[in-house]
Amino acid sequence: MKVNKILVSQPRPATEKSPYFDIAEKHKVEIDFRSFIKVEGLTAKEFRQQKVSIPGHTAIVFLSRHAIDYFFTLCKELRVTIPDDMKYFCLSETISLYIQKYVQYRKRKVFYGNGHIQDLVPLFVKHKNERFFVPTSNVHNDELCSIFDSNGIEHSHAEMYRTVSNDFEPDFIAPYDMLIFFSPYGIESLLKNVPNFEQGEKLIACFGKVTADAIRNAGLRLDLEAPTVEAASMTAALDQFLSKAKK
């Protein structure tokens, strides 16, 4: 099947230097962007129902910038004052620097890893007398809780934000030859907005095993999956796919 028009279920890249634009020019295809999902914060009332006291903790774990945004937003709504000696543990340096949006970074005790939860384990153990709080979304796994439990570290977590579907008309996806997904929630959004979706010859691509499993579990055909040994990114896999399609 010839691919002429591709829909990427993410916001349009902020820079024109994105590999997607290079692919569009190289393979003479049209690539559009539309986020199928969005992140929204819980209300103060919804958070209170979880019965978690933020002031009862001495350290916060941030796994994303979303977590930082919604944590400080909710604290403001709840009129919770964060003490100056609060410690922050972040998944990466990039996430840790984002804290500057809300507090004076140089006056805070901030620790960070290299992008993997396991990087933080030595830091958690070193500070095992702290009482850790983890702001989460409605999409999270129990790896962090297992780490705390196995090391006898006091902790709690609470949902502060969630991923929900963006609405769009069922015929919106009709012109596209390929749909690219990055989250199981993107698949949920597709099936919610197009309840009678029939894949037919339409190609479906995705990044990540969890998303791939969601596609197959929905009874859909997965035509392109990344990452692979040859292609570590979605754009690299797409470039290879389109090059083979030409032949």
Side-chain angles (χ1 to χ4, degrees), residues 70-116:
Y70 292 111
F71 172 80
F72 284 105
T73 298
L74 263 177
C75 284
K76 184 176 181 180
E77 291 180 17
L78 295 164
R79 296 180 181 177
V80 172
T81 300
I82 305 300
D84 292 340
D85 60 354
M86 179 71 79
K87 294 182 175 68
Y88 300 99
F89 294 77
C90 303
L91 192 63
S92 68
E93 183 179 14
T94 301
I95 294 173
S96 74
L97 292 173
Y98 192 70
I99 296 175
Q100 294 178 98
K101 181 177 178 182
Y102 297 97
V103 299
Q104 289 185 304
Y105 188 84
R106 62 185 177 82
K107 292 185 178 181
R108 307 292 169 168
K109 295 180 179 179
V110 182
F111 310 88
Y112 56 85
N114 294 314
H116 302 282

Side-chain angles (χ1 to χ4, degrees), residues 41-83:
L42 269 65
T43 64
K45 180 179 179 181
E46 289 172 323
F47 178 78
R48 287 193 188 98
Q49 291 173 350
Q50 299 177 79
K51 301 186 184 303
V52 175
S53 172
I54 296 173
H57 299 83
T58 59
I60 313 295
V61 182
F62 290 127
L63 301 180
S64 70
R65 290 189 293 181
H66 281 312
I68 294 173
D69 283 331
Y70 292 111
F71 172 80
F72 284 105
T73 298
L74 263 177
C75 284
K76 184 176 181 180
E77 291 180 17
L78 295 164
R79 296 180 181 177
V80 172
T81 300
I82 305 300

Side-chain angles (χ1 to χ4, degrees), residues 5-204:
K5 198 166 184 179
I6 300 170
L7 178 62
V8 179
S9 61
Q10 284 187 330
R12 182 181 177 85
T15 171
E16 294 301 317
K17 293 182 179 180
S18 168
Y20 282 111
F21 301 124
D22 296 332
I23 289 173
E25 183 175 354
K26 176 181 177 181
H27 297 284
K28 308 303 179 188
V29 296
E30 183 179 345
I31 301 180
D32 292 333
F33 301 87
R34 171 74 177 265
S35 181
F36 279 36
I37 57 178
K38 61 184 176 182
V39 178
E40 64 179 25
L42 269 65
T43 64
K45 180 179 179 181
E46 289 172 323
F47 178 78
R48 287 193 188 98
Q49 291 173 350
Q50 299 177 79
K51 301 186 184 303
V52 175
S53 172
I54 296 173
H57 299 83
T58 59
I60 313 295
V61 182
F62 290 127
L63 301 180
S64 70
R65 290 189 293 181
H66 281 312
I68 294 173
D69 283 331
Y70 292 111
F71 172 80
F72 284 105
T73 298
L74 263 177
C75 284
K76 184 176 181 180
E77 291 180 17
L78 295 164
R79 296 180 181 177
V80 172
T81 300
I82 305 300
D84 292 340
D85 60 354
M86 179 71 79
K87 294 182 175 68
Y88 300 99
F89 294 77
C90 303
L91 192 63
S92 68
E93 183 179 14
T94 301
I95 294 173
S96 74
L97 292 173
Y98 192 70
I99 296 175
Q100 294 178 98
K101 181 177 178 182
Y102 297 97
V103 299
Q104 289 185 304
Y105 188 84
R106 62 185 177 82
K107 292 185 178 181
R108 307 292 169 168
K109 295 180 179 179
V110 182
F111 310 88
Y112 56 85
N114 294 314
H116 302 282
I117 290 178
Q118 290 297 326
D119 297 335
L120 295 173
V121 175
L123 293 171
F124 293 151
V125 172
K126 184 177 179 180
H127 298 271
K128 66 180 304 177
N129 293 325
E130 303 295 338
R131 298 185 301 279
F132 288 86
F133 173 69
V134 186
T136 70
S137 74
N138 59 332
V139 187
H140 65 277
N141 60 43
D142 295 327
E143 181 180 3
L144 198 51
C145 288
S146 297
I147 289 171
F148 285 137
D149 288 340
S150 63
N151 287 282
I153 299 173
E154 188 177 348
H155 65 94
S156 60
H157 69 272
E159 186 178 323
M160 286 191 151
Y161 57 103
R162 58 193 163 213
T163 301
V164 297
S165 295
N166 265 331
D167 294 333
F168 56 85
E169 294 299 319
D171 59 357
F172 171 74
I173 63 169
Y176 296 98
D177 304 309
M178 175 183 277
L179 308 176
I180 301 179
F181 294 94
F182 297 84
S183 163
Y185 286 87
I187 304 302
E188 286 189 15
S189 178
L190 169 68
L191 299 179
K192 174 189 174 185
N193 287 288
V194 192
N196 298 316
F197 176 72
E198 293 185 7
Q199 184 174 357
E201 294 186 352
K202 199 179 296 293
L203 303 174
I204 292 181

Side-chain angles (χ1 to χ4, degrees), residues 227-244:
T228 65
V229 175
E230 299 82 14
S233 66
M234 189 70 249
T235 49
L238 179 61
D239 185 23
Q240 291 180 3
F241 183 88
L242 294 175
S243 294
K244 291 178 181 177

